[in-house]
């Protein structure tokens, strides 16, 4: 029986960048088991921890703001929780903060509306194009296009999505021969977009042969819910 | 440290196979370590990470202050392509250094179909594939595991092999290496190899010479240098209680094949199945005490965060205090959400009781291995299981609610006829009938899994001819006909892969060229049906002018010199001859575990004996 629910913010750092969501989740489960914290389990033949994430993170993406909720079988003070778990987390996963939330509250997954990312990609520009204008042009061409289509392939077939319907903010800057982008992507009931998809679409519409979308490094910087007309960090909801 | 580009890791399946950093991995200060040892498993990460032997050696080596041990697995073909395209060497997971940078590289030889991967890993790691081409700066390549008991097909590619249990021998080997290195590498590579050959259990193939007669028959294999022992003895750890056990195993991120705690409850099995090589190579039976096992379980759970403990051995149901142990473990751990599992069951009702004990609620599936379909053939292979045992076991299983049963058989066993193959089908049908009688339902599921018999060195069947590919396929076809798909799920092994396994299991040094050619032609992951390409091997044998049938499908006389005669498992050859004769007469040989000594020779050769605590 669960007596308490804790919301936790943790990171997914460079050493664990290439874990899939499932691998990342299992790594946290095992850390929790090592810590011997009193986590609540589901009933049934195959009990598992009562743990849920706000939003799955793709292979190859790091994050400073993964949010998850855990139900506890015994009450634990947040500070004690953080201290005990910290020593059992593998390199690259750091617990940042923890707070108690109502047991019967809405799930994080149903609250999350927006994710922000920074993406860095090496760009090899011909001299004529060097300078601040390149980054601006990339962004302009994105907003000027009436729709930005991206085709998703999966085992069930292919599906075209309009990335513009998901992007709320997009900014870019050239720094040290890298194009550094900042993007905010909506998470809706019907779906969302991945930063790497945005990057591929950008390369396609700007006709850019100056970068390889494969070389991008994406990092999730925030997860947000809606409160009134504002986006607020999901941890604070 | 080798840098792995995001664009490379994005292109490969399960990139976390290559990025390391798992919980409990040991990263040492390289400056402080005099000796570096790469432990290699020649298959993909998920398979290699499931192997207890390498976990033990990783623990033993890293417990030394002077040594760092790191892991490496075979890159999946997608990763190999990236490494080759980018001219990156194969690297270890801990510090991402190329294999060539290590002092010693140790491969575990678990199955013959991994040999092409070994050559590939050496090449990718920047190490000369042929031992004789390695200079003083290159690593020594070491092999161990069951296939080291006939490593002759690999002799040209390895510097040395360690026979038997390596917990103690590997320390002696590293001490020997350290002394040679400190002494200014006196005598060059051969200087170390000569010193190493003095360690019990160490086989240095270049110091032995096989001689053949004019017809190409082996006469004998003898030392080619002074001071080299005529035979190399297997190493045995006398006291498993005192043996090191890895209570801090590396916990993989990627789902391994066996992703749980593997607790070795005992070593060895003397039931005496005549086809079984492990039954010879790990004699005698040595149990751990129950208290020790519980203590190891507690420590390993706390250090890993696993939620499952598997009690492993060659035949766990034979552990003398098993009932008590399972009760103790479930009492302690069930509350903490930790389950206990048994990897193998005996065909009897005692095993069903145990299975009920460990899986109180969820009855998934039970696996039994009668191995042969008729009593006559089970007597030949000394599988002491009667029709009545099977009947009782499945009845007990069905009564307690198990509905999915898996049966394991072998095809192509010595003296097998069509009647024995039909026996497999008849037994399967009888079990289904029994299911209906017990449960009143016709919905039971029976999976029948048939592998192909591969004669192995050091067993009573080491002289036997393997059934040809055509014969094996004929037997498989007969079974398919007799087991209709709607009621039975029939699984079988690829006959060509079993043939290849048989060639290398009893091969000699003349296979070296064929192996090299096959690898050059692209053979990789031969144990994986999606990568196995038999035609590459056919071409390879042809271009090396080797007839593979000479090794696989030819019956040998018991007087014939065998390529592994100089490698001593401790079991006397005349015991094996006697067992072969008893097999042909259908005579049973009893287990020596608690009964009478069968005079196999192991205990007297090595000064060890069976250890039971129950």
């Amino acid at each position: 029986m669960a007596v308490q629910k804790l919301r936790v913010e943790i990171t997914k750092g460079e050493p664990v960048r290439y874990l899939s969501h499932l691998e990342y989740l299992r790594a946290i489960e095992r850390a929790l088991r090592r810590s011997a914290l009193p986590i609540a389990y589901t009933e049934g033949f195959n009990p598992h921890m009562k743990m849920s994430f706000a939003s799955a993170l793709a292979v190859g993406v790091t994050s400073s703001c993964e949010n998850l909720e855990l139900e506890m079988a015994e009450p634990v003070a947040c500070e004690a929780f953080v201290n005990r778990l910290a020593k059992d987390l593998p390199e690259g996963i750091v617990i940042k903060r923890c707070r108690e939330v109502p047991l019967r509250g809405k799930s994080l997954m149903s609250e999350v509306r927006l994710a922000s990312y920074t993406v860095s990609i090496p760009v090899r520009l011909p001299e004529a194009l060097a300078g601040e204008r390149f980054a601006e042009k990339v962004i302009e061409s994105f907003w000027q296009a009436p729709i930005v289509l991206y085709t998703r392939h999966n085992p069930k077939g292919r599906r075209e999505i309009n990335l513009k319907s998901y992007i709320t903010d997009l900014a870019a800057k050239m720094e040290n021969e890298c194009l550094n982008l900042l993007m905010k992507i909506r998470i809706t009931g019907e779906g969302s977009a991945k930063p790497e998809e945005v990057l591929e679409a950008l390369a396609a519409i700007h006709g850019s042969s100056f970068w390889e979308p494969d070389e991008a490094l994406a990092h999730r910087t925030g997860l947000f819910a809606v409160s009134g007309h504002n986006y607020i960090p999901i941890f604070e909801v | 440290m080798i840098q792995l580009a995001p664009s490379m890791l994005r292109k490969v399946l399960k990139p976390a196979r290559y990025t390391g950093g798992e919980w409990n991995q040991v990263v040492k200060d390289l400056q402080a370590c005099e000796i570096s040892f790469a432990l290699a498993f020649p298959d993909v990460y998920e398979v290699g990470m499931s192997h207890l032997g390498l976990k033990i050696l990783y623990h033993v080596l890293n417990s030394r202050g002077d040594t760092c041990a790191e892991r490496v697995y075979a890159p999946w073909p997608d990763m190999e392509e990236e490494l080759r395209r980018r001219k990156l060497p194969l690297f270890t997971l801990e510090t991402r250094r190329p294999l060539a940078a290590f002092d010693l590289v140790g491969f575990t030889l678990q199955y013959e179909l991994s040999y092409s991967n070994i050559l590939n890993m050496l090449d990718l790691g920047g190490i000369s594939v042929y031992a004789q081409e390695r200079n003083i700066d290159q690593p020594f390549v070491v092999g161990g595991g069951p296939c080291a008991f006939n490593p002759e097909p690999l002799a040209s590619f390895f510097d040395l092999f360690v026979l038997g249990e390596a917990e103690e021998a590997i320390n002696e080997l590293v001490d020997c290496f350290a002394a040679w290195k400190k002494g200014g590498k006196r005598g060059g590579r051969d200087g170390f190899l000569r010193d190493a050959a003095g360690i019990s259990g160490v086989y240095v193939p270049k110091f032995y010479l096989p001689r053949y007669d004019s017809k190409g028959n082996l006469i004998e294999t003898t030392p080619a240098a002074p001071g080299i022992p005529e035979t190399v003895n297997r190493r045995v750890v006398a006291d498993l209680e005192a043996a090191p056990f890895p209570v801090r195993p590396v916990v993989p991120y990627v789902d391994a094949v066996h992703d749980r705690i593997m607790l070795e409850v005992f070593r060895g099995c003397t039931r005496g199945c005549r086809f079984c090589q492990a039954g010879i190579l790990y004699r005698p039976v040595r149990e751990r005490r129950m208290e020790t096992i519980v203590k190891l379980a507690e420590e390993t759970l706390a250090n890993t965060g696993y939620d499952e403990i598997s009690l492993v051995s060659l035949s766990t149901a034979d552990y003398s205090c098993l009932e008590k142990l399972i009760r103790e473990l479930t009492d302690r751990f069930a509350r903490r959400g930790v389950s206990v599992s048994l990897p193998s069951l005996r065909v009897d009702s005692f095993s069903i009781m145990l299975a009920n004990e460990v899986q109180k609620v969820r009855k998934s599936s039970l696996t039994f291995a009668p191995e042969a379909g008729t009593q006559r053939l089970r007597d030949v292979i000394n599988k002491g299981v009667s029709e009545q045992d099977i009947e009782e076991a499945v009845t007990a299983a069905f009564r307690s609610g198990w509905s999915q049963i898996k049966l394991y058989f072998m095809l192509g066993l010595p003296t097998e006829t069509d009647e024995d193959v039909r026996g497999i089908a008849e037994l399967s049908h009888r079990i289904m009938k029994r299911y209906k009688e017990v449960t009143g339902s016709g919905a039971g599921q029976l999976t029948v899994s048939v592998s192909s018999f591969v004669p192995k060195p050091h067993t009573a069947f080491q002289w036997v001819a393997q059934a040809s590919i055509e014969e094996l396929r004929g037997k498989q076809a007969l079974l398919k006909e007799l087991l209709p798909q709607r009621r039975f799920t029939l699984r079988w092994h690829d006959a060509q892969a079993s043939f290849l396994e048989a060639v290398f299991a009893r091969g000699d040094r003349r296979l070296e060229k064929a192996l090299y050619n096959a690898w050059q032609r692209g053979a990789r992951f031969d144990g994986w049906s999606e990568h196995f390409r038999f035609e590459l091997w056919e071409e390879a044998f042809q271009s090396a002018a080797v007839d593979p049938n000479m090794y696989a499908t030819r019956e040998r006389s018991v007087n014939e010199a065998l390529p592994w005669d100089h490698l001593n498992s401790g079991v006397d050859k005349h015991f094996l001859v006697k067992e072969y004769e008893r097999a042909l007469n259908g005579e049973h040989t009893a287990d020596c575990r608690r009964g009478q000594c069968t005079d196999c020779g192991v205990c007297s050769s090595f000064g060890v004996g069976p250890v039971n605590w129950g």
Side-chain angles (χ1 to χ4, degrees), chain A residues 10-79:
Chain A
I10 55 172
T11 67
K12 184 187 177 202
E14 197 54 47
V16 289
R17 177 187 286 276
Y18 293 97
L19 303 199
S20 69
H21 179 62
L22 198 69
E23 289 159 358
Y24 178 65
L25 185 147
R26 203 169 39 221
I28 294 163
E29 273 180 0
R30 285 177 179 160
L32 285 162
R33 301 187 67 95
R34 288 191 292 267
S35 74
L37 283 158
I39 314 295
Y41 283 82
T42 59
E43 307 282 323
F45 302 162
N46 192 10
H48 53 266
M49 287 184 184
K50 292 191 173 179
M51 173 163 84
S52 59
F53 277 77
S55 166
L57 195 62
V59 184
V61 183
T62 54
S63 169
S64 51
C65 59
E66 289 312 284
N67 273 251
L68 61 100
E69 285 183 344
L70 268 170
E71 292 182 32
M72 309 299 291
E74 291 164 33
V76 178
C78 282
E79 201 191 331

Side-chain angles (χ1 to χ4, degrees), chain B residues 17-36:
Chain B
R17 283 169 173 168
Y18 312 105
T19 50
E22 309 94 320
W23 188 256
N24 288 337
Q25 82 163 9
V26 180
V27 182
K28 287 196 173 178
D29 176 7
L30 300 175
Q31 308 304 322
C33 291
E34 289 161 59
I35 301 129
S36 59

Side-chain angles (χ1 to χ4, degrees), chain B residues 547-587:
Chain B
D547 176 10
N549 287 297
M550 280 291 293
Y551 300 99
T553 54
R554 177 177 65 91
E555 186 180 338
R556 290 151 171 81
S557 132
V558 293
N559 301 316
E560 183 177 325
L562 300 170
W564 53 92
D565 276 345
H566 57 303
L567 306 177
N568 179 21
S569 74
V571 173
D572 297 336
K573 200 171 186 177
H574 53 253
F575 171 80
L576 297 178
V577 174
K578 200 178 73 190
E579 278 295 291
Y580 186 21
E581 285 165 2
R582 290 174 73 88
L584 298 178
N585 296 328
E587 286 174 74

Side-chain angles (χ1 to χ4, degrees), chain A residues 15-20 22-24 26-27 29-31 33-35 41 45-47 59-61 87-91 93 196 213-218, chain B residues 4-11 14-16 19-23 25 251-256 259-260 301-307 336-338 361-362:
Chain A
V16 289
R17 177 187 286 276
Y18 293 97
L19 303 199
S20 69
L22 198 69
E23 289 159 358
Y24 178 65
R26 203 169 39 221
E29 273 180 0
R30 285 177 179 160
R33 301 187 67 95
R34 288 191 292 267
S35 74
Y41 283 82
F45 302 162
N46 192 10
V59 184
V61 183
K87 64 176 181 21
D88 283 303
L89 285 170
E91 208 187 329
I93 306 181
E196 65 197 60
D214 260 357
E215 292 177 2
L217 286 176
Chain B
L4 304 176
S7 55
M8 165 159 110
L9 291 170
R10 198 154 288 161
K11 283 198 188 76
K14 304 190 190 179
T19 50
E22 309 94 320
W23 188 256
Q25 82 163 9
V251 183
Y253 290 123
V254 179
D255 203 6
D259 209 357
R260 56 187 74 92
L301 275 174
N303 292 333
T304 58
Y306 273 123
D307 61 0
R336 295 186 234 164
V338 176
V361 202
R362 192 168 40 132

Side-chain angles (χ1 to χ4, degrees), chain A residues 187-200:
Chain A
I187 300 171
T188 75
E190 286 78 49
S192 183
K194 291 179 184 165
E196 65 197 60
E197 295 172 341
V198 177
L199 214 65
E200 272 186 51

Side-chain angles (χ1 to χ4, degrees), chain A residues 212-223:
Chain A
E212 291 289 334
D214 260 357
E215 292 177 2
L217 286 176
H219 177 75
R220 182 138 83 184
T221 52
L223 279 173

Side-chain angles (χ1 to χ4, degrees), chain B residues 325-454:
Chain B
L325 174 65
I326 288 177
R327 218 150 272 162
E328 174 71 25
L329 293 176
T330 43
D331 279 356
R332 265 171 198 258
F333 301 130
R335 289 177 280 120
R336 295 186 234 164
V338 176
S339 61
V340 178
S341 64
L342 302 169
S344 61
L345 286 178
R346 252 170 18 203
V347 188
D348 58 21
S349 42
F350 172 72
S351 293
I352 304 302
M353 192 270 294
L354 293 173
N356 291 339
E357 194 72 33
V358 297
Q359 280 192 14
K360 282 214 165 70
V361 202
R362 192 168 40 132
K363 303 269 198 276
S364 45
S365 82
L366 279 186
T367 303
F368 298 113
E371 311 287 5
T374 59
Q375 194 60 51
R376 184 198 69 78
L377 193 52
R378 284 195 295 272
D379 291 341
V380 168
I381 61 176
N382 204 41
K383 185 85 192 182
V385 168
S386 67
E387 199 74 30
Q388 200 189 341
D389 293 331
I390 300 172
E391 179 90 351
E392 280 175 11
V394 296
T395 305
F398 294 146
R399 285 224 169 94
S400 32
W402 303 84
S403 62
Q404 289 187 39
I405 304 265
K406 259 189 229 165
L407 296 179
Y408 271 60
F409 295 98
M410 258 186 264
L411 282 180
L413 285 164
T415 76
E416 185 183 76
T417 63
D418 277 0
E419 199 185 321
D420 299 300
V421 179
R422 277 193 209 99
I424 295 175
E426 283 156 20
L427 180 60
S428 308
H429 279 282
R430 275 201 300 280
I431 290 173
M432 288 300 272
K433 196 168 146 239
R434 195 82 196 105
Y435 183 75
K436 204 161 181 189
E437 285 165 12
V438 174
T439 66
S441 147
Q445 257 296 320
L446 191 64
T447 301
V448 179
S449 193
V450 286
S451 61
S452 310
F453 168 63
V454 178

